[in-house]
Amino acid sequence: MPATAYPALYATAAERQAAGATMNTPAGLAFTGPVHYLSDYTYGSMVSHQLLGFMVIMVGIMSVLMVVRHTRAEEETRRSELVRAAVVGRHAQLAAALILTAAANIALALLLTLSLGSLGIDGVTWAGSLLYGAAHAATGITFAGVAAVTVQITEHSRGASGMGLAVVGAAYLVRAAGDSADSGLSWASPIGWAQQTFAYLDDRWWPLLLNLAAAVVLAGIGFALSLRRDVGAGLRAARRGRPVASRALTTPIGFALRLHRGMLIGFAAGMMVLGMSYGPFLGDVEEMFRDVELFSEAAQMGGATFVDSFITMIMTVLAIVAAIYVVIATLRPRAEENAGRAEPVLATRLSRAGWLASHLTVALAGGSVMILLAGLMLAATGAPTVNESGLFGEIMAASAVYIPALWVTAGLAAALVGWFPRAGALAWLVVVYAGVVGYFGTILQFPEWMNNLSPFGHIPRLPVEDFTWTPLLILTAIAAGLVAVGLYGFRRRDLETK
């Protein structure tokens, strides 16, 4: 939640200390950060404790993708060969990508410093804000160094991104395991180093030296490895394919599924881990939030229990993450078209509509699987902590009702691909808007019309509200219409390639 919400949620020191006490469990510390933050739970400590660990994950993802985009992706499209044909050094491209990524992280740090320091919230000091921003930048630069290594290993940008993002996820899990046990294991994680600064509490700068040292070492390794490979190649040789394609690859769906396979597996694993991370909290929800008046009023809708209300809010978060997959998968045909790989496929007997429909089928089915997997793991890890019969089924139903909203999201992206391919990135606005309104709307009391603008705002919020078919059927019909519009538009327009 935003820092500005803390004074309203925790108006007194007693409420802040009560909130800190509820966090002092293995699950709570794994979800937030080191237990030392709880020694003086001011608004500043709460910001650093509850937000830093998650925010630096986003910064790490940004850094990995930026480095891959400006190095391996340029080699994959052969543009780097044109650049290197001029008077440019072998290390210039990687150096430029690292400098750009570092500059973006420093700019983010300054923005965080100015925005937080100017709030005037008790405990959110300028010194702490400067350190808080620097922790984000240092962690982002560390993961930029990680990407400098992964781009040398594989010749594909997706593979380099996947390995870099896997390191980000592993760093979070190591940090969570160390903090939950209050052990030194968290010191093995770059995210743990950032949290060990204890911004707004102790304001320790020296742990960030570990981030910077790791970034320098990793960047050096990346430069050294780049000398051991050819331009466009990777240190790891591409695996030889089968001499004869499987029968599945001869079908449009099978071929599309093969192209989406890596992302499907990665997102499925991530959704399962995300569901598992929330599950253990269900048994402690009432104790954690019953003394927070504003949160209690926002959460307990229609006399629902704290557990039911918490499930409702968590399912909104999981659905938004699943929508990220849906948008990426739906925009994949545009990437294939833009790279020129769609033309050879469409030169066969496969129709345009059939080709695009095969990718959309994977996106629609994959999005459904994602939200159901997250719900399954949330139910499997959370239901045993709550003495309430039927909770497992309620959680699964609460996840399944979001499927039509995911389909509408895919339909909007498909319509853009079909008619306005260069504007395909606008599909991300649906996800961002749904995330802001869905996650913060109840707490910050946004007007109802804002919620109605999002397809996720029309989903019955199980298990708090009663189930109703009408909005789900309407959303499904809208999704079908949007997909049809996208297919028709794609049949009528010319292919666009770089």
Side-chain angles (χ1 to χ4, degrees):
M1 65 184 66
T4 52
Y6 284 113
L9 290 172
Y10 308 99
T12 66
E15 288 182 345
R16 293 194 296 272
Q17 295 306 315
T22 60
M23 295 289 179
N24 195 9
T25 63
L29 296 175
F31 198 64
T32 52
V35 68
H36 179 60
Y37 278 105
L38 306 180
S39 61
D40 185 13
Y41 221 39
T42 64
Y43 292 129
S45 298
M46 297 178 79
V47 168
S48 191
H49 186 224
Q50 298 182 19
L51 298 182
L52 181 58
F54 283 106
M55 291 295 293
V56 294
I57 294 176
M58 301 297 106
V59 175
I61 292 173
M62 176 194 74
S63 298
V64 169
L65 295 181
M66 282 188 69
V67 173
V68 174
R69 166 63 183 82
H70 294 286
T71 54
R72 176 52 64 180
E74 293 296 298
E75 293 187 44
E76 194 172 16
T77 57
R78 301 290 186 256
R79 289 190 291 264
S80 61
E81 292 187 44
L82 298 176
V83 175
R84 291 193 181 188
V87 186
V88 176
R90 186 177 181 88
H91 297 311
Q93 193 168 24
L94 179 56
L98 291 174
I99 291 172
L100 176 64
T101 306
N105 279 283
I106 293 171
L108 175 63
L110 293 175
L111 180 62
L112 287 171
T113 300
L114 294 174
S115 59
L116 288 171
S118 61
L119 291 176
I121 298 176
D122 184 32
V124 182
T125 62
W126 279 103
S129 298
L130 182 60
L131 178 57
Y132 183 81
H136 285 74
T139 308
I141 292 172
T142 302
F143 288 117
V146 170
V149 176
T150 64
V151 296
Q152 314 303 330
I153 297 173
T154 176
E155 64 183 77
H156 302 292
S157 59
R158 290 181 180 272
S161 298
M163 286 187 285
L165 297 181
V167 174
V168 175
Y172 175 77
L173 293 177
V174 169
R175 193 282 310 161
D179 289 337
S180 64
D182 193 20
S183 68
L185 182 60
S186 57
W187 284 98
S189 166
I191 297 176
W193 302 337
Q195 290 192 316
Q196 288 294 327
T197 59
F198 298 116
Y200 300 113
L201 183 62
D202 295 339
D203 288 344
R204 301 194 305 185
W205 283 85
W206 66 264
L208 298 185
L209 296 176
L210 298 174
N211 290 92
L212 299 180
V216 171
V217 171
L218 289 168
I221 293 174
F223 284 120
L225 292 178
S226 68
L227 298 175
R228 297 177 174 273
R229 65 177 182 86
D230 293 329
V231 178
L235 292 172
R236 186 182 65 184
R239 189 178 62 179
R240 292 182 140 224
R242 297 179 181 178
V244 179
S246 65
R247 295 185 63 181
L249 283 179
T250 63
T251 64
I253 292 293
F255 185 63
L257 187 61
R258 176 63 182 84
L259 293 178
H260 289 257
R261 183 178 65 181
M263 185 171 58
L264 267 171
I265 295 173
F267 259 92
M271 292 297 291
M272 293 174 68
V273 171
L274 193 58
M276 291 172 59
S277 68
Y278 284 115
F281 276 97
L282 294 186
D284 300 325
V285 166
E286 184 172 356
E287 183 181 354
M288 291 171 63
F289 298 116
R290 65 184 175 188
D291 295 328
V292 183
E293 182 178 357
L294 182 59
F295 186 90
S296 176
E297 292 175 356
Q300 290 188 290
M301 298 171 289
T305 66
F306 276 95
V307 172
D308 289 346
S309 301
F310 186 75
I311 291 172
T312 298
M313 289 186 289
I314 294 308
M315 287 312 308
T316 300
V317 176
L318 297 177
I320 298 303
V321 178
I324 294 175
Y325 164 80
V326 167
V327 173
I328 294 175
T330 307
L331 295 181
R332 178 63 187 269
R334 171 57 182 164
E336 294 293 303
E337 175 190 359
N338 199 33
R341 293 187 291 267
E343 289 185 90
V345 176
L346 293 176
T348 64
R349 291 182 298 174
L350 178 62
S351 67
R352 286 190 174 204
W355 177 76
L356 182 58
S358 64
H359 285 275
L360 294 179
T361 300
V362 175
L364 294 170
S368 305
V369 170
M370 297 302 159
I371 191 65
L372 291 176
L373 281 176
L376 176 63
M377 299 312 298
L378 176 64
T381 57
T385 67
V386 180
N387 187 19
E388 184 178 333
S389 61
L391 185 62
F392 190 99
E394 291 179 357
I395 295 176
M396 292 305 301
S399 62
V401 294
Y402 277 97
I403 292 176
L406 295 174
W407 289 350
V408 171
T409 304
L412 288 169
L416 290 172
V417 170
W419 288 93
F420 311 103
R422 296 185 181 182
L426 292 177
W428 288 108
L429 293 178
V430 179
V431 180
V432 174
Y433 183 84
V436 172
V437 175
Y439 190 61
F440 300 126
T442 303
I443 295 176
L444 300 182
Q445 300 179 353
F446 289 166
E448 185 62 24
W449 64 265
M450 291 183 64
N451 192 52
N452 292 334
L453 293 178
S454 167
F456 296 86
H458 298 277
I459 299 299
R461 297 168 64 84
L462 303 180
V464 171
E465 299 176 352
D466 294 331
F467 175 80
T468 174
W469 280 103
T470 303
L472 304 184
L473 294 175
I474 293 175
L475 288 173
T476 302
I478 293 173
L482 289 169
V483 168
V485 168
L487 292 173
Y488 180 71
F490 186 69
R491 290 177 58 189
R492 291 179 58 88
R493 70 172 176 84
D494 294 331
L495 293 179
E496 295 184 3
T497 59
K498 287 185 178 180

